[in-house]
Amino acid sequence: MQKFAVVFLLMILMLVVLTGCGDKNGLIELNVSEPIHSIFYAGQYIAVNEGFFEEEGLKVEITTAQGSDKAMTAILSGTSQIALAGPETTVYVYNQGKSDYAVNFAQLTKRDGSFLVGRKPEADFKWESLKDKTVIGARPGGMPEMVLEYVLKQHGLMPGKDVNVITNIQLDAVAGAFSSGTGDYAALFEPTATMVEKENHGYVVASIGKAGGEVPYTAFSATKSYIEKHPDVIQKFTNAIYKAQLWMEQHDSKEIAEAIKSFFPDTDMDVLTTVVQRYKDQDTWAKDPIMKEEAFMHMQDIIKEAGELDKTAPYDELVTVEFAQKAIENIKP
């Protein structure tokens, strides 16, 4: 009997390790790797601070990877269980032929969250005015850079020919480089764009997200093996995200800003509220976790146009809507 008890205890411990970890309150501990720390991802911070993860029996720790590629590396290496990243990274991993690739299971945002910042106010800004100018972009192959280039091309500007786009500056160093005099414009995420504006180092002249149209910009993913082994954990996580999405639809910008303030302690409330309102105005956040096939394939068209994709990856392999659909069925507004 004693031997059975020891074996049973070992089995429980192994389950906890494989799932994540359990804390003293019996919550399953998960590490989520985000690409950058931004108000753009307000939904996941709402899920933490409004207790939606805890309601589902989860304790979530968020770590900032500094790039979608690094967030993806975190789940492939086992450092994190879940990645918040651009779905394009799951396409790259799949096309590399990895057997245990990453699968998108819950969409968070549905358009680019960056803004074009210039050196002077331009109330009548036109994208065509970027001809012969220098813009600090993002890393090659990432959605921020590809959407920026897509917008430029839509306005008859060829990156590298009509517009000089700088792509070799680290994401967290772009604002500093621009403020120090590099480039005529910079593509910046929030709250960085508003803070640069508040410090009189630049002015937001256009929304790249609005100009680029709707794409499945950021989603939660996990490795295929993790999802297969822990569908209950993925369902709980998706439930919490959907609860957060519903909460955000039912609250105004100030209330959302107050709810995520603890994640941005050094950011003024007026800046937080301004940023949230900007994102609300451009319909940034997905209203449910389902990633649609048409949007996923459109995203790959943008990647192809950027010259970063030779082979289209199948939607059915890289996206599962099972957990999102169950969340919507079981959780009512």
Side-chain angles (χ1 to χ4, degrees), residues 8-86:
F8 181 74
L9 179 60
L10 288 173
M11 289 175 65
I12 293 295
L13 288 172
M14 185 172 289
L15 178 62
V16 168
V17 169
L18 288 172
T19 305
C21 292
D23 76 349
K24 63 183 180 181
N25 297 316
L27 300 176
I28 297 170
E29 295 184 350
L30 293 176
N31 184 277
V32 176
S33 186
E34 64 179 4
I36 60 172
H37 191 60
S38 174
I39 300 164
F40 189 53
Y41 309 128
Q44 70 171 348
Y45 309 135
I46 293 290
V48 173
N49 281 353
E50 292 301 310
F52 299 136
F53 283 130
E54 194 168 346
E55 283 178 8
E56 294 293 332
L58 304 176
K59 182 178 180 181
V60 172
E61 178 188 4
I62 300 169
T63 56
T64 305
Q66 296 301 343
S68 280
D69 54 337
K70 293 181 177 65
M72 187 57 53
T73 298
I75 63 169
L76 294 176
S77 66
T79 306
S80 299
Q81 289 78 46
I82 293 172
L84 175 62

Side-chain angles (χ1 to χ4, degrees), residues 37 131 163 196 296:
H37 191 60
K131 185 173 175 60
V163 183
V196 167
F296 183 76

Side-chain angles (χ1 to χ4, degrees), residues 6 34 55 58 75 83 115 120 159 162 189 203 278 319 322:
V6 171
E34 64 179 4
E55 283 178 8
L58 304 176
I75 63 169
F115 294 83
K120 62 180 189 288
D162 301 310
F189 265 74
Y203 302 86
R278 271 186 179 152
V319 178
E322 172 190 351

Side-chain angles (χ1 to χ4, degrees), residues 106-123:
Q107 185 170 323
L108 189 69
T109 63
K110 60 179 181 178
R111 66 179 72 245
D112 190 297
S114 52
F115 294 83
L116 189 70
V117 176
R119 298 203 175 277
K120 62 180 189 288
E122 298 181 58

